[in-house]
Amino acid sequence: MGFPETFKALSDPIRREILVLLRQGRMSAGEIGQHFDMTGATISYHLSQLKKAGLIFETKYKNYIYYEINVSVVEEIMLWLSQFNGGKKNE
Amino acid sequence: MGFPETFKALSDPIRREILVLLRQGRMSAGEIGQHFDMTGATISYHLSQLKKAGLIFETKYKNYIYYEINVSVVEEIMLWLSQFNGGKKNE
DNA sequence: ATTCTATTTAGAATTTTATCTAAATACATT
DNA sequence: AATGTATTTAGATAAAATTCTAAATAGAAT
């Protein structure tokens, strides 16, 4: 957790795609994997990076592990970025 | 230019620090370098990454190359991020 | 209890990124 | 023109990130 991990996590295109997928709601590791042409192990690695960054969290149910976005961390990043547009948050 | 480069550029702590420095206004490569314990060549490399990402631009004057933030690209990133907090830009 | 399914972990291989030293450019000053 | 200062480029090395295969876990279902 913390800026460094979060920015690192966001720097990978696959991980950004995963976040976009999760916009629609929580999804199991397997479902997420179906959207990509990579092994489950690799998806698992990316999920672990996102989790380490605090960008997603998991909940287990039966055999599955579901992932979900953590919006508050996204907001921290936006806050950091807002220092560059003169504090003008948005209009 | 484009998201991938921009996120990659932002993922490095040194480059984020450079951006923070440049908040105060334009600065030459040398001045920027003085804030870090690295060779000029390395600073130059980081500047080139930021430039490639469109996050900064340069203007030459005499012997010097001055760098400056390009706010509009920062805004694009914020816009992309805003898809995750329900379009609630900021309040 | 055995087998099946979902997912992660470990270890190795590949690729990418960050850094340095040395050399090249470019312009300024003497 | 010769030297000096600021910066970049090239090439090498080291460190970090991504990916795979194979094995390990964990729980579900037979």
Side-chain angles (χ1 to χ4, degrees):
Chain A
M1 296 173 209
F3 271 55
E5 287 89 344
T6 309
F7 273 110
K8 271 274 181 252
L10 287 171
S11 76
D12 185 89
I14 304 291
R15 291 193 290 263
R16 286 198 303 276
E17 265 198 77
I18 291 176
L19 289 178
V20 171
L21 281 175
L22 291 180
R23 240 183 357 147
Q24 302 174 199
R26 67 192 205 147
M27 208 175 265
S28 73
E31 290 177 282
I32 294 169
Q34 288 176 340
H35 290 80
F36 300 93
D37 187 24
M38 334 177 97
T39 66
T42 298
I43 296 298
S44 182
Y45 163 74
H46 284 300
L47 291 172
S48 78
Q49 298 304 105
L50 287 167
K51 200 168 50 177
K52 202 173 65 177
L55 282 161
I56 62 175
F57 60 93
E58 65 183 28
T59 55
K60 303 187 185 190
Y61 178 64
K62 290 196 169 180
N63 237 357
Y64 306 87
I65 304 182
Y66 289 95
Y67 288 95
E68 206 162 341
I69 293 191
N70 180 8
V71 179
S72 71
V73 171
V74 173
E75 281 169 358
E76 280 177 42
I77 297 295
M78 289 184 73
L79 199 59
W80 186 86
L81 287 170
S82 74
Q83 78 183 291
F84 298 108
N85 61 8
K88 134 175 154 228
K89 322 287 194 182
N90 218 308
E91 329 162 17
Chain B
M1 291 165 219
F3 272 56
E5 287 88 346
T6 309
F7 273 110
K8 274 273 182 252
L10 287 171
S11 74
D12 184 88
I14 304 291
R15 292 193 289 264
R16 288 197 302 276
E17 265 197 79
I18 291 176
L19 289 177
V20 170
L21 280 176
L22 290 179
R23 243 186 351 152
Q24 302 173 199
R26 69 194 204 144
M27 209 175 263
S28 74
E31 290 177 283
I32 293 169
Q34 288 176 341
H35 290 80
F36 300 94
D37 187 23
M38 333 178 97
T39 66
T42 298
I43 295 298
S44 181
Y45 163 75
H46 285 301
L47 291 171
S48 78
Q49 298 303 107
L50 288 167
K51 199 168 51 177
K52 202 174 67 179
L55 282 161
I56 61 175
F57 60 93
E58 65 183 29
T59 55
K60 303 185 186 190
Y61 178 64
K62 290 194 169 179
N63 236 359
Y64 306 88
I65 304 182
Y66 290 95
Y67 288 95
E68 206 163 341
I69 293 190
N70 180 8
V71 178
S72 73
V73 171
V74 173
E75 280 169 358
E76 278 177 43
I77 297 296
M78 288 184 73
L79 200 60
W80 185 86
L81 286 170
S82 74
Q83 76 183 295
F84 298 109
N85 62 6
K88 134 174 152 228
K89 321 289 194 177
N90 219 306
E91 329 163 18

